[in-house]
Amino acid sequence: MSDDTVPASPAGGDATEEASDFIRAAVREDLKKGRYSYVRTRLPPEPNGWMHIGHAKAFMIDYYVALDFGGQCNLRFDDTNPEAEDLAFVEAITRDSRWLGLDCGDDRTFFASDYYGKLYELALKLIRKGVAYVDDLSDEEIRVYRGTAVPDKHNITLTPPGKDSPWRNRSVEENLDLFARMRAGEFADGSKTLRAKIDMAHPNLVMRDPVMYRIKRAPHYRVGNEWCIYPMYDFAHPLSDSIEGITHSLCSLEYEIHRPLYEWFIREAETFPSRQIEFSRLNITHTVLSKRWLKQLVEEGLVEGWDDPRMPTIAGLRRRGYTREAIKDFIDRIGIAKTNSMVDIQLLEHCLREDLNRRARRVMAVLDPVELVIANWPEGLVEELSAVNNPEDEAAGTRTLRFDGRLMIERDDFAEIPPPKYFRLFPGNQVRLRYGYIVNCTGFEKDASGRVTRVLCEYDPGTKGGNAPDNRKVKGTIHWVRAADAVPIEARLFDHLFLAERPMEVEPGKDWKEGVNPDSVQTRNGALGEPSLAEARLGESFQFERLGYFTRDPSDSEGRPRFNRSVSLRDTWAKIEKKQA
RNA sequence: UCCCCGGUUGUGUAAUGGUAGCACGGCAGACUCUGGAUCUGCUUGUGGGGGUUCAAAUCCUCCCUGGGGAACCA
């Protein structure tokens, strides 16, 4: 059946020498022992939701295992449940996986729904072999016959052996006739199913005569009303793999228990022997990677949408400013195993910082501005200063900054009474204005409410460019923008979506949604940036010096460019503050 | 209860019978025109008991413990 899809593809990737994980070890072993002569994997999304970083992990494993062994990877939409699926999701998933660099190509993009005809033929084959039958039991009856005790997980006392359906021993002819009539639409939805005839006393419940086809008059987003019976995952998935000549069908741990069934269908259908291997799915602290929960966050307005920058969706991460390189690096670092794990979100953030530190152009922006006046600055003088665009990348060059006696600085960078170890601006202290001059704080002004409105200082004309010719140590260097030409911007700062490390673990009686961090976004709409920020392109990352990495949001804020903080810089001062508190 | 799969430092992951390593985090320090970056050092780990062996994270056994399964979802 799969002969036409099996090329003599040489196995020669960089994972053939030594295994870096148990899956690659297994693949290499299969090749060595001649179980397969090539490697082909698949990305198996169901088009019923948005792709998140958990899917990205699975997809990257699928994709790069194939690549490492010189094989191919198919993108196959597992669309066998017409009630849940939609073309819009196909498009979103395709876009997101390509953005991640997982491009299987149009010629390697498939749909389980394309195989409905073939799957139907294989079902007929199983009926003829006497290993599938049409059952008249209702869903409720099937559950009872399976030997399921009580649906309440905490209240189950034992699992009795199942009981054969009274329709289990229909003749092949009758089954063939009934199945044809199911397909022809003669029976009501839910009134009959096609079941595999395996073993109703099997200790593995999924082997107790699983349902292969159900009657469901729902239009399918791709094949419309062509079918009123649809195959179940357990039947469709292994045989779709088989049809495509997939060698290694990699999936998450929850399918482990289905593997005997996966193998049973392929054996009985006598098709290409694809092999299923399971690994653990990704969990990350302070967030959730469950389609159902993410959907609720969106639907109940707890976030702005699927692409909200706080969401762990690929669309959300992209909007937040995550790069595909950072995500790939993260996935590589967490490894592949069968242990249920909870990865610290700080590792993800570390991967982003590392990538952006190397590539992001430095600019200055002030999130919460306060005026700084240089009292001894010559009236009317405007100077030009040279600033480095990226100290990690000489090729990024320099830019020119204009400087005069009226600047805006970060409110945090001035303290009327400095806390211990504070070495920025306070009366009597000197500080360097990045790329500008060393200034000495001489005073400040406050309004009636006690809020500082202006910081006063004097500059040392001998320190242009920030140099200290007399070699004096100036501990603090602060960022600034020139009041006269700063551009108004909005900056959004994000925190974890959930306060708790493990938001899925909800205290009894509490709603998990109470765990949503009420301060997961802070908007600074009075922020000011260097003039160049007005033309910031979408998708470009910047480091706002001393503040973090930012990227432009697709939307703006009343004409002001809106920037999302992708991740902050490592903040040693915050740690000191925290310790002092 | 039954069936299946796991437990290596705070977290993630190596070591496949032979020195328990790496990364992140954390802590301390050096350096620095970003309290960034970089660099150095430190950071109580093989769930427990028994067994096999010259030698066990690794093999056997019992126990403990975590996850998954019992949809006409995937």
Side-chain angles (χ1 to χ4, degrees):
Chain A
M1 160 135 256
S2 57
D3 290 358
D4 58 332
T5 65
V6 182
S9 164
D14 57 14
T16 52
E17 292 306 313
E18 85 186 54
S20 45
D21 58 74
F22 80 95
I23 290 179
R24 274 172 251 253
V27 172
R28 200 187 61 226
E29 191 69 8
D30 287 344
L31 254 12
K32 195 172 133 200
K33 291 204 168 145
R35 179 170 180 171
Y36 302 112
S37 60
Y38 67 98
V39 173
R40 183 134 77 221
T41 60
R42 101 269 92 115
L43 317 180
E46 184 190 14
N48 72 342
W50 288 65
M51 194 175 158
H52 59 62
I53 192 166
H55 301 116
K57 172 188 176 181
F59 283 18
M60 284 187 173
I61 291 170
D62 289 326
Y63 191 81
Y64 289 104
V65 163
L67 249 55
D68 284 354
F69 288 93
Q72 307 115 334
C73 179
N74 292 356
L75 170 59
R76 185 179 69 241
F77 290 94
D78 215 346
D79 53 357
T80 56
N81 182 8
E83 287 174 334
E85 297 148 5
D86 196 276
L87 188 60
F89 293 125
V90 171
E91 288 162 355
I93 291 166
T94 302
R95 183 197 63 216
D96 287 348
S97 53
R98 286 189 180 173
W99 179 77
L100 284 169
L102 311 177
D103 194 348
C104 298
D106 290 332
D107 58 331
R108 299 219 76 83
T109 298
F110 304 98
F111 295 83
S113 50
D114 286 343
Y115 307 141
Y116 282 177
K118 287 180 184 173
L119 292 171
Y120 182 77
E121 291 301 321
L122 289 170
L124 292 177
K125 183 175 183 177
L126 298 199
I127 294 172
R128 284 190 210 102
K129 287 179 78 172
V131 294
Y133 62 97
V134 172
D135 195 1
D136 292 3
L137 255 30
S138 69
D139 54 351
E140 180 57 31
E141 287 166 327
I142 287 178
R143 202 172 314 140
V144 172
Y145 275 65
R146 269 220 171 96
T148 305
V150 188
D152 179 357
K153 280 189 175 181
H154 303 289
N155 217 5
I156 294 172
T157 49
L158 90 165
T159 306
K163 206 166 62 172
D164 287 1
S165 164
W167 316 103
R168 197 172 195 261
N169 291 313
R170 293 215 251 230
S171 69
V172 168
E173 290 66 33
E174 189 181 3
N175 282 323
L176 250 14
D177 172 61
L178 255 16
F179 188 50
R181 288 163 63 195
M182 277 170 66
R183 194 248 190 275
E186 287 187 28
F187 307 115
D189 283 14
S191 63
K192 283 182 168 47
T193 55
L194 183 70
R195 289 233 255 166
K197 194 179 197 173
I198 305 179
D199 179 2
M200 286 307 288
H202 199 108
N204 179 349
L205 285 299
V206 309
M207 295 296 275
R208 318 246 263 222
D209 289 14
V211 174
M212 293 164 59
Y213 271 91
R214 74 280 211 187
I215 304 171
K216 186 174 280 191
R217 284 174 178 76
H220 187 280
Y221 75 100
R222 289 187 78 243
V223 299
N225 293 310
E226 196 184 329
W227 296 83
C228 64
I229 56 171
Y230 291 96
M232 301 289 292
Y233 168 87
D234 279 320
F235 173 70
H237 198 85
L239 298 182
S240 297
D241 282 346
S242 212
I243 286 166
E244 292 180 16
I246 300 298
T247 54
H248 301 272
S249 185
L250 312 177
C251 61
S252 51
L253 248 30
E254 63 211 272
Y255 294 102
E256 208 161 23
I257 199 161
H258 295 249
R259 194 187 333 129
L261 185 52
Y262 183 98
E263 289 164 354
W264 187 92
F265 276 122
I266 285 177
R267 191 166 57 243
E268 293 299 334
E270 300 164 54
T271 54
F272 180 81
S274 305
R275 173 183 180 188
Q276 173 179 305
I277 301 176
E278 312 85 13
F279 58 90
S280 67
R281 53 190 297 168
L282 175 63
N283 294 294
I284 302 179
T285 56
H286 299 290
T287 190
V288 294
L289 294 178
S290 138
K291 217 179 260 184
R292 210 184 94 242
W293 287 35
L294 293 175
K295 189 164 183 255
Q296 279 190 61
L297 289 173
V298 173
E299 286 176 352
E300 300 186 22
L302 294 161
V303 295
E304 287 168 23
W306 286 97
D307 66 343
D308 186 299
R310 293 165 293 176
M311 291 282 273
T313 51
I314 299 307
L317 291 167
R318 181 170 51 225
R319 187 168 173 188
R320 173 82 168 251
Y322 270 81
T323 60
R324 77 206 67 184
E325 291 83 359
I327 294 171
K328 169 74 163 61
D329 184 34
F330 173 71
I331 301 303
D332 287 343
R333 288 191 199 221
I334 58 176
I336 308 172
K338 297 185 75 164
T339 319
N340 296 301
S341 59
M342 177 66 71
V343 179
D344 194 328
I345 196 166
Q346 289 183 101
L347 179 60
L348 215 209
E349 295 173 344
H350 167 82
C351 292
L352 215 216
R353 282 194 190 101
E354 194 170 81
D355 185 38
L356 260 20
N357 174 51
R358 212 165 25 221
R359 312 192 326 190
R361 223 172 87 201
R362 270 62 170 173
V363 296
M364 289 197 282
V366 175
L367 267 30
D368 183 12
V370 67
E371 190 181 11
L372 178 79
V373 172
I374 304 175
N376 60 338
W377 187 260
E379 182 72 33
L381 176 65
V382 177
E383 288 201 340
E384 291 195 336
L385 306 167
S386 176
V388 174
N389 286 331
N390 185 350
E392 308 292 323
D393 176 16
E394 211 176 307
T398 59
R399 68 189 184 286
T400 299
L401 258 23
R402 284 152 67 87
F403 184 97
D404 65 14
R406 213 167 66 83
L407 308 172
M408 304 301 284
I409 61 165
E410 208 70 62
R411 185 169 288 280
D412 274 359
D413 286 339
F414 172 78
E416 188 178 341
I417 301 157
K421 294 187 184 165
Y422 184 88
F423 48 76
R424 282 111 87 182
L425 232 32
F426 53 87
N429 193 40
Q430 60 178 2
V431 99
R432 176 167 22 236
L433 294 168
R434 179 77 157 152
Y435 299 121
Y437 287 88
I438 294 172
V439 296
N440 191 39
C441 181
T442 54
F444 60 95
E445 294 171 8
K446 287 205 240 184
D447 64 14
S449 67
R451 185 177 161 87
V452 174
T453 53
R454 176 176 291 159
V455 178
L456 304 169
C457 66
E458 289 182 350
Y459 84 114
D460 178 345
T463 58
K464 182 168 182 183
N467 304 305
D470 52 355
N471 256 337
R472 75 225 215 217
K473 290 284 173 226
V474 178
K475 267 213 121 177
T477 298
I478 65 172
H479 60 278
W480 51 273
V481 292
R482 180 171 170 251
D485 56 20
V487 302
I489 61 171
E490 179 185 287
R492 295 198 295 179
L493 312 181
F494 303 104
D495 193 5
H496 303 141
L497 232 197
F498 289 85
L499 261 0
E501 214 165 70
R502 297 164 179 260
M504 306 288 280
E505 292 172 8
V506 186
E507 281 180 49
K510 287 215 171 180
D511 185 348
W512 65 270
K513 278 168 261 160
E514 289 172 32
V516 174
N517 181 358
D519 298 314
S520 56
V521 54
Q522 281 185 43
T523 303
R524 300 289 167 80
N525 41 31
L528 298 168
E530 271 185 43
S532 67
L533 245 22
E535 283 99 50
R537 286 179 291 109
L538 225 50
E540 188 181 4
S541 288
F542 299 90
Q543 185 194 103
F544 289 5
E545 290 212 32
R546 304 211 298 134
L547 298 172
Y549 298 96
F550 289 74
T551 195
R552 188 163 185 171
D553 192 80
S555 68
D556 61 6
S557 167
E558 294 163 4
R560 284 169 302 194
R562 171 178 285 151
F563 289 88
N564 297 323
R565 181 157 73 181
S566 314
V567 66
S568 67
L569 254 24
R570 247 186 68 217
D571 192 347
T572 310
W573 172 245
K575 280 180 196 165
I576 295 171
E577 264 187 319
K578 204 173 164 188
K579 239 183 288 176
Q580 287 173 355

